[in-house]
């Protein structure tokens, strides 16, 4: 096939950040191939990045603005002028007369570009006058971001995917890379075939466990005990890097005292991980010359997820395994721009580069640049926004690229919040569960139709290039947000996303040398010095904390927020499937739906036999918060007492089961431990309301 145009861009699905060649004919993307020089993918892609692009051409794309004239009425097509006029009149009414700026909140998207996120947070702060801005990393990796800053100084991976190839050993905890981050997963598989000693830690036996030298299956919610147990063995068996510990860290004495309570026998009682397996895993990691630790949402989406990330840092620091090739801490970010959306200040407490809104010098710098004055108190996090809406204190939201009614926990509470708002704007590419509550819907652009940059899981900022035009009257998110801000009275001096990046560089020390021109084909890993030198490895000589030393944290194991009981005897863990992405908005509109048309509940044969459930039976899953129905799949990949499903199918509505328990430091929901009762469907249906009704 002859293509009219081929552009090199960056995948819009997961945080690996594969570089792609997008080929277009007649202004439509018809095929995608891997960029051979992509630094994170080296010529590979997975079936999402390579084949799941057809969603961009679907007939049900939003093509024109929509307005709802009255709550409960239908959305109707409108002009851009009418839609923006309605947004301005409602937001200025609330800002100036009926609640003030803090009665309005914005949500940025970890799928959007850095530049889009920057413009939205500037809109909220400078055009509206509130720090009520957050992004969906709140519900996935905010514990990682917080903990890395506390322990090491900067909110990002300490190394790069290349460290997998340089490591002699690796631990993967709470992540399933071959499904969630397939190109990284394939790279890990290849490394094991070359001799990498891999340890997997997950309640469920993941595909990479088949390539591992050890697999630990802890009870959901007991990761802290496992990390403390590994540290205990390292200390007990003289495997500490004493020179590194003395020269580069602080806080060891308190940690040493604590570790006495976590012998392998103690940890076995808490986590069900056999003591011998724990000891073996500790030796594999500590005795390797270089070793890395990778983690995902199975670590973070817990009540004490942020504390477990700090314990992961402890282990690496005790072994002196931070700051060298092959010895990295690599959080696997779920969505393509989880890293960048937070880097860009789409957070209630920080501007770009995690500069605090409470820091007087920082705030003055932003005020001078934007020509406004701002508060020094932080704004609301996402869960606080929904609580405030239900309480009547938050009256309007601007939600950009997030289907919160589908993806956030405690779905009934989220819907109550959306219904309670006086005014809701949703900017997205399809109608979805959240647009059902919107007063104005703005048709936006997919990653194939815009330019800017994404930042992948190794802090690599990479260019995104438009291969096609947005459909119909849809516009790029950059154009929409700049237009709305100007209509609200705050004109931003940007002609293109490249201008946005220049402003980010001017205001953000860690991005001082970043420009679209410099990003080129390979991108740059922040921090980037003014001369353009980037940082594939952090903390070679010092940690980015006031003393230059890393902070060890003496944090004991605490039980999860949800535990099995007589009424709810099984523990549900949720995760991802290879074929789909997040709420499935994009992948379910492609051929990937033929590969995986529906979801199922994984259940161990022992539990299935006890419950009289056969493979393929429709089962009912009930938690204290709601009830869903889906088919059962009987498998030994899951441990007895646990069940597993994904969250890609809106009709199943897995998040109805999730309550409001959240990480103690960041409010990230406890998606990964939910006590449930599973029965053949007829038994629950006679006792509780129909599917999708929460109790
Ligand atoms: Fe895209 Fe992730 Fe697949 Fe790479 S591994 S092609 S970034 S979804």
């Amino acid at each position: 096939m002859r293509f009219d145009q081929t552009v090199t861009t960056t995948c819009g699905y997961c945080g690996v950040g594969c570089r792609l060649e997008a080929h277009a004919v007649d202004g439509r993307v018809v095929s995608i191939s891997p960029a051979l020089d992509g630094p994170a993918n080296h010529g590979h892609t997975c079936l999402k990045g390579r084949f799941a692009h057809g969603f961009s051409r679907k007939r049900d794309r939003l093509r024109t603005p929509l307005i709802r004239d009255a709550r409960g009425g239908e959305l109707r097509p409108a002009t851009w002028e009418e839609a923006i006029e309605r947004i301005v009149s409602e937001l200025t009414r609330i800002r100036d007369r009926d609640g003030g700026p803090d009665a309005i909140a914005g949500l940025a998207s970890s799928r959007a570009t850095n530049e889009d996120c920057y413009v939205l947070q500037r809109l909220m702060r400078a055009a509206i006058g509130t720090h009520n801005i957050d992004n969906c990393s709140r519900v996935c990796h905010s514990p990682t971001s917080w903990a890395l800053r506390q322990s090491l100084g900067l909110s990002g991976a300490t190394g790069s995917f290349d460290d997998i190839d340089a490591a002699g050993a690796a631990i993967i905890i709470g992540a399933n890379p071959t499904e969630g981050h397939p190109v990284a997963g394939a790279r890990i598989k290849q490394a094991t075939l070359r001799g990498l000693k891999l340890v997997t830690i997950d309640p469920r036996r993941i595909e990479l466990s088949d390539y591992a030298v050890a697999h630990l299956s802890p009870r959901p919610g007991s990761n802290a005990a496992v990390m403390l147990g590994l540290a205990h063995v390292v200390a007990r068996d003289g495997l500490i890097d004493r020179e590194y510990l003395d020269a580069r860290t602080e806080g060891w004495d308190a940690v040493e005292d604590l570790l006495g309570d976590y012998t392998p026998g103690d940890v076995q009682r808490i986590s069900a991980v056999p003591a011998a397996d724990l000891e073996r895993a500790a030796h594999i990691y500590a005795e390797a010359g270089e070793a890395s630790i990778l983690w995902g949402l199975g670590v973070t989406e817990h009540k004490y997820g942020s504390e477990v990330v700090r314990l992961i840092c402890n282990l690496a620091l005790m072994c002196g395994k931070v700051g060298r090739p092959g010895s990295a801490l690599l959080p696997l970010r779920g969505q393509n721009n989880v890293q960048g959306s937070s880097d860009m200040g789409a957070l209630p407490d920080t501007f770009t580069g995690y500069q605090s809104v409470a820091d007087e010098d920082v705030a003055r710098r932003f005020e001078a640049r934007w020509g406004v004055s701002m508060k020094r108190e932080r704004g609301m996090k996402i869960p606080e926004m929904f609580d405030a809406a239900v309480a009547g204190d938050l009256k309007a939201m601007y939600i950009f690229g997030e289907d919160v009614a589908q993806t956030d926990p405690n779905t009934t509470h989220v819907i109550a919040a959306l219904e309670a708002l006086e005014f809701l704007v949703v900017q997205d590419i399809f109608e979805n569960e959240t647009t059902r509550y919107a007063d104005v819907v703005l048709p936006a652009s997919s990653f194939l139709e815009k330019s800017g940059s994404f930042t992948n899981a190794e802090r690599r900022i990479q260019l995104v290039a438009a291969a096609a035009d947005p459909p119909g009257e849809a516009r790029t998110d950059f154009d929409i947000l700049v237009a709305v801000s100007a209509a609200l009275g705050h004109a931003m001096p940007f002609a293109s996303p490249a201008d946005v990046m220049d402003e980010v560089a001017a205001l953000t020390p860690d991005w001082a040398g970043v420009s679209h021109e410099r990003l080129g084909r390979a991108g740059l890993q922040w921090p980037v010095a003014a001369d353009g030198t980037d940082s594939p490895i952090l903390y070679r000589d010092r940690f980015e904390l006031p003393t230059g030393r890393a902070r060890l944290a003496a944090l004991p194991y605490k039980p999860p927020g949800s535990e099995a009981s007589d009424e709810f005897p099984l523990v549900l863990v949720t995760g991802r499937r290879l074929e789909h992405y997040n709420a499935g908005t994009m992948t379910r509109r492609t051929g990937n739906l033929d590969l995986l048309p529906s979801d199922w509940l994984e259940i161990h044969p022992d539990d299935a036999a006890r419950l009289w459930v056969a493979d393929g039976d429709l089962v009912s899953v009930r938690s204290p918060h709601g009830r869903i129905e889906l088919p059962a799949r009987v498998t030994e990949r899951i441990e007895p007492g646990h069940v597993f499903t994904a969250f890609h199918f809106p009709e199943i509505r897995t998040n109805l089961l999730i309550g409001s328990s959240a990480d103690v430091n960041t409010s990230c929901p406890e998606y990964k431990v939910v006590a449930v009762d599973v029965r053949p469907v007829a038994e629950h249906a006679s006792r509780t309301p129909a599917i999708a009704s929460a109790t």
Side-chain angles (χ1 to χ4, degrees):
M1 178 183 274
R2 292 175 67 88
F3 306 121
D4 299 340
Q5 184 186 210
T6 292
V7 302
T8 306
T9 189
T10 305
C11 182
Y13 284 109
C14 88
V16 174
C18 296
R19 295 282 283 160
L20 308 174
E21 307 284 1
H23 312 288
V25 173
D26 293 336
R28 291 149 54 113
V29 173
V30 294
S31 139
I32 285 180
S33 55
L36 298 180
D37 57 352
N41 56 314
H42 298 294
H44 298 277
T45 65
C46 75
L47 84 175
K48 286 188 277 267
R50 181 147 195 184
F51 299 114
H53 52 78
F55 72 89
S56 65
R57 304 185 300 274
K58 284 290 171 188
R59 299 183 80 87
D60 61 342
R61 278 286 300 270
L62 284 165
R63 290 161 193 271
T64 183
L66 303 173
I67 284 182
R68 199 183 312 273
D69 292 315
R71 279 279 158 119
E74 295 293 314
L75 286 166
R76 64 167 175 83
T79 64
W80 276 102
E81 291 71 24
E82 197 181 359
I84 292 179
E85 197 177 296
R86 177 87 180 277
I87 292 169
V88 170
S89 69
E90 291 290 330
L91 294 186
T92 52
R93 171 182 66 78
I94 293 167
R95 180 189 65 188
D96 300 338
R97 295 195 301 276
D98 297 331
D102 289 333
I104 302 170
L107 275 192
S109 172
S110 293
R111 284 158 37 196
T113 62
N114 289 320
E115 293 76 3
D116 294 341
C117 291
Y118 181 86
V119 170
L120 180 59
Q121 63 87 34
R122 177 167 166 174
L123 185 159
M124 295 308 299
R125 292 186 155 115
I128 302 289
T130 180
H131 290 305
N132 289 342
I133 173 76
D134 208 347
N135 74 82
C136 46
S137 72
R138 174 73 50 206
V139 297
C140 64
H141 263 292
S142 54
T144 292
S145 175
W146 180 88
L148 290 176
R149 276 192 281 160
Q150 295 294 316
S151 289
L152 311 177
L154 297 176
S155 175
T158 70
S160 310
F161 289 122
D162 284 350
D163 289 305
I164 295 167
D165 298 332
I171 294 175
I172 298 176
I173 174 168
N176 186 4
T178 55
E179 306 234 3
H181 304 81
V183 166
R187 197 163 177 178
I188 296 164
K189 255 190 219 175
Q190 289 170 344
T192 62
L193 299 176
R194 288 195 304 269
L196 176 81
K197 290 182 179 167
L198 180 66
V199 176
T200 56
I201 306 177
D202 199 284
R204 182 166 162 258
R205 196 174 167 84
I206 60 173
E207 186 185 356
L208 283 175
S209 306
D210 296 345
Y211 295 77
V213 293
H215 171 69
L216 315 185
S217 270
R219 287 194 182 102
S222 66
N223 287 335
V226 173
M227 295 314 300
L228 287 159
L230 292 171
H232 174 100
V233 175
V234 167
R236 184 197 69 188
D237 294 353
L239 300 171
I240 288 176
D241 184 337
R242 197 25 98 170
E243 195 178 329
Y244 187 101
L245 196 70
D246 290 345
R248 303 205 51 191
T249 72
E250 58 191 19
W252 169 243
D253 289 348
V255 172
E256 187 175 28
D257 287 348
L258 178 72
L259 292 182
D261 296 336
Y262 296 94
T263 66
D266 295 326
V267 172
Q268 180 168 340
R269 276 188 290 283
I270 298 170
S271 69
V273 171
D277 291 355
L278 189 83
E279 297 190 341
R280 182 152 176 257
H283 278 259
I284 289 166
Y285 175 74
E287 288 172 356
E290 306 297 341
S292 293
I293 306 178
L294 299 87
W295 69 93
L297 305 185
V299 163
T300 58
E301 290 179 340
H302 287 274
K303 187 172 181 183
Y304 300 102
S306 54
E307 297 193 352
V308 175
V309 178
R310 294 209 67 187
L311 296 175
I312 290 172
C313 295
N314 280 5
L315 180 67
L317 292 165
M318 286 168 63
C319 297
K321 289 185 165 53
V322 180
R324 295 195 306 268
S327 286
L329 293 171
L330 292 170
L332 292 168
R333 308 306 182 102
Q335 301 190 82
N336 54 313
N337 204 29
V338 167
Q339 179 73 54
S341 55
S342 293
D343 294 344
M344 289 299 96
L347 293 170
D349 55 345
T350 57
F351 296 110
T352 52
Y354 307 93
Q355 302 173 89
S356 171
V357 298
D359 184 306
E360 195 58 36
D361 291 342
V362 168
R364 284 205 186 140
R365 194 153 27 91
F366 279 83
E367 286 176 336
R369 181 91 185 194
W370 295 348
V372 297
S373 60
M374 289 179 277
K375 293 179 182 162
R376 302 297 187 258
E377 297 80 34
R378 76 163 177 89
M380 293 184 221
K381 302 173 191 171
I382 292 174
E384 294 168 340
M385 292 175 188
F386 294 138
D387 291 346
V390 169
D393 297 329
L394 187 75
K395 298 179 187 299
M397 289 186 77
Y398 194 122
I399 298 179
F400 164 34
E402 268 307 292
D403 185 6
V404 293
Q406 154 73 3
T407 57
D408 280 39
N410 210 351
T411 307
T412 44
H413 183 61
V414 173
I415 289 172
L418 298 178
E419 286 177 334
L421 292 171
E422 291 178 13
F423 186 63
L424 173 61
V425 182
V426 175
Q427 180 171 319
D428 219 311
I429 60 174
F430 292 104
E431 288 196 64
N432 56 36
E433 290 297 310
T434 306
T435 59
R436 290 154 62 113
Y437 307 94
D439 299 283
V440 176
V441 178
L442 301 177
S445 47
S446 77
F447 75 95
L448 295 165
E449 300 149 0
K450 60 170 133 183
S451 62
S453 60
F454 296 147
T455 306
N456 79 351
E458 50 178 14
R459 297 171 283 102
R460 189 183 300 277
I461 312 156
Q462 303 186 111
L463 285 176
V464 175
D469 296 325
E473 293 175 41
R475 294 182 180 176
T476 66
D477 298 282
F478 169 82
D479 286 344
I480 296 169
L481 294 168
V482 167
V484 169
S485 185
L488 284 164
H490 181 76
M492 298 190 203
F494 307 135
S496 73
D499 296 340
V500 177
M501 187 58 82
D502 291 343
E503 179 164 301
V504 172
L507 289 168
T508 317
D510 286 343
W511 291 55
V514 181
S515 69
H516 278 201
E517 192 181 353
R518 273 199 178 133
L519 290 178
R521 287 186 69 85
L524 293 168
Q525 287 171 274
W526 67 257
V528 181
D531 66 1
T533 306
D534 73 342
S535 311
I537 296 176
L538 301 179
Y539 316 124
R540 284 180 184 270
D541 305 312
R542 73 183 303 279
F543 290 92
E544 295 295 329
L545 289 166
T547 61
R549 290 166 173 261
R551 292 190 199 119
L552 296 159
L555 295 163
Y557 161 77
K558 302 172 203 87
S562 178
E563 289 189 279
S565 62
D566 289 346
E567 186 177 5
F568 301 104
L570 297 172
V571 174
L572 171 72
V573 178
T574 60
R576 295 166 190 265
R577 310 270 187 213
L578 169 65
E579 295 79 359
H580 291 292
Y581 172 77
N582 216 28
T585 311
M586 298 191 293
T587 49
R588 283 158 45 93
R589 287 180 168 91
T590 70
N592 286 26
L593 189 62
D594 298 328
L595 296 174
L596 191 80
S598 66
D599 211 342
W600 59 88
L601 184 81
E602 293 179 16
I603 185 167
H604 189 272
D606 294 351
D607 292 321
R610 187 171 46 77
L611 296 166
W612 293 84
V613 168
D615 200 53
D617 280 0
L618 191 64
V619 293
S620 167
V621 185
R622 188 172 66 92
S623 81
H625 314 285
R627 189 174 76 80
I628 64 171
E629 295 174 4
L630 73 172
R633 183 169 293 180
V634 180
T635 170
E636 290 189 348
R637 281 226 170 242
I638 194 99
E639 293 288 310
H642 308 161
V643 288
F644 175 90
T645 189
F647 50 84
H648 304 304
F649 293 86
E651 60 273 25
I652 292 177
R653 306 192 74 184
T654 308
N655 286 333
L656 276 172
L657 301 172
I658 315 290
S660 55
S661 179
D663 176 61
V664 289
N665 292 303
T666 64
S667 305
C668 178
E670 189 180 40
Y671 286 106
K672 299 294 183 187
V673 189
V674 184
V676 295
D677 183 35
V678 176
R679 301 288 176 98
V681 77
E683 288 189 35
H684 271 168
S686 63
R687 292 181 1 187
T688 53
I691 187 168
S693 302
T695 53

